[in-house]
Amino acid sequence: MLDAVTILNEKLKKALQIRHIAFEADAGSNGRLISDLLIEQGKIDSATTNAVLEEASGVPYLDPTIVSFSGVFIEHIKKLIPSSVALQEKVFPVKHEGNYVHLVMAVPLDAECIKRMEFVTGSRIKPYCCYTEGILQAIHTVYGTCDQPEDIYNSDGDKLLENAVAAISRLKIAGAETAEIINDVTVIRLLQFILNRLVYQGASDIHFEPQEDAFRIRCRKDGVLKTAWSFPLVMRDGLVPRLKVISGMDPGETAQPQDGS
């Protein structure tokens, strides 16, 4: 099976030929994108590179080096996608709304990368393309000093819960809207941890159950329904509306039953 870089390079060759842009016959054979090689060699500029990438990939281009971000958003994306992950995957988030993260990618045809970033962000990915150096420049400019590699896939559940409880309590006291709570990074991280941990352990279904004094999470394994966690009740205000959003339901509707997936 051809990898995403090889597939994109084949499409790039056709787009470059149409534009009469010359490239070496073996360009891209080293596993790098032809567009990155050409821009390094000074044969095409960044605007042309992005236009060719858009044409070849069928994904709109967005250069994060010419976009300004608010301080609040920068702090949000630093927590949502650690710099170590952004560098490893060569991606840069430019927007986070509802259940979508708008993500600039060096290889937007890489379905496995998109799956990994959906795991990390707890959101669906809306991909954009950009030449690799532009993404790396944006990462270094916005993130500053890179953090130590973070093991997103083996998080500490107790620490995630502690952070989420503190964040939801603080936001509720401040009178935050539901949208702000469900997009809080600590809530996203905790829900991802819960879902992935239980699915990995073989759960066939998961029940999120607000009770009088606690928020219980149960899962069914081998036909038996067991309690996985019992959280403080305040977690209801973060996890339930977050579940509704990622399932395509209205988080503000609490009086009527809804179907989602």
Side-chain angles (χ1 to χ4, degrees):
M1 180 182 295
L2 297 177
D3 61 66
V5 172
T6 301
I7 293 173
L8 183 52
N9 271 335
E10 290 303 312
K11 294 177 179 292
L12 282 169
K13 289 178 181 179
K14 294 178 181 178
L16 291 166
Q17 288 170 343
I18 291 173
R19 292 170 176 263
H20 304 292
I21 299 174
F23 55 89
E24 300 293 333
D26 63 346
S29 60
N30 60 353
R32 295 188 62 197
L33 289 176
I34 297 174
S35 51
D36 288 337
L37 295 173
L38 292 178
I39 199 170
E40 286 178 8
Q41 296 167 1
K43 294 182 177 180
I44 54 177
D45 57 26
S46 59
T48 303
T49 304
N50 282 335
V52 172
L53 278 169
E54 178 177 276
E55 182 179 333
S57 67
V59 174
Y61 81 80
L62 195 161
D63 189 341
T65 63
I66 60 175
V67 179
S68 60
F69 303 97
S70 69
V72 172
F73 181 72
I74 289 173
E75 289 306 309
H76 177 74
I77 64 172
K78 283 181 176 179
K79 295 175 182 176
L80 184 69
I81 303 177
S83 62
S84 56
V85 175
L87 282 170
Q88 178 181 340
E89 301 287 358
K90 294 182 177 61
V91 300
F92 188 87
V94 293
K95 190 176 184 180
H96 184 200
E97 59 178 359
N99 189 32
Y100 281 90
V101 169
H102 296 244
L103 193 68
V104 182
M105 306 176 62
V107 188
L109 300 184
D110 190 342
E112 291 304 313
C113 177
I114 290 177
K115 287 181 181 179
R116 291 192 296 270
M117 296 314 301
E118 287 178 338
F119 175 94
V120 170
T121 63
S123 304
R124 294 174 182 171
I125 299 299
K126 167 66 175 175
Y128 298 84
C129 64
C130 180
Y131 67 104
T132 303
E133 185 57 35
I135 294 175
L136 297 178
Q137 286 178 19
I139 292 172
H140 288 297
T141 299
V142 172
Y143 280 84
T145 303
C146 293
D147 52 27
Q148 294 297 314
E150 180 178 347
D151 189 353
I152 292 289
Y153 306 98
N154 293 288
S155 302
D156 181 345
D158 291 338
K159 186 64 176 177
L160 291 175
L161 174 61
E162 178 184 335
N163 292 339
V165 169
I168 293 175
S169 299
R170 171 178 51 79
L171 289 168
K172 285 178 65 65
I173 291 173
E177 298 290 335
T178 300
E180 187 175 353
I181 295 176
I182 62 179
N183 281 325
D184 185 86
V185 175
T186 62
V187 174
I188 294 172
R189 285 281 184 85
L190 179 61
L191 182 56
Q192 286 302 101
F193 169 81
I194 292 168
L195 295 176
N196 286 285
R197 174 62 62 87
L198 294 182
V199 170
Y200 177 78
Q201 292 177 349
S204 60
D205 52 278
I206 304 172
H207 299 247
F208 292 80
E209 303 173 346
Q211 298 181 297
E212 185 176 343
D213 57 355
F215 185 72
R216 184 173 65 180
I217 298 176
R218 295 195 294 167
C219 67
R220 191 183 308 278
K221 291 190 290 186
D222 300 323
V224 179
L225 196 59
K226 297 181 179 179
T227 298
W229 291 282
S230 183
F231 291 160
L233 187 58
V234 70
M235 290 309 304
R236 170 193 59 192
D237 300 323
L239 295 181
V240 170
R242 181 70 197 173
L243 276 168
K244 289 181 179 179
V245 165
I246 66 176
S247 301
M249 295 185 281
D250 180 2
E253 175 59 70
T254 58
Q256 298 294 329
Q258 300 182 68
D259 290 328
S261 63

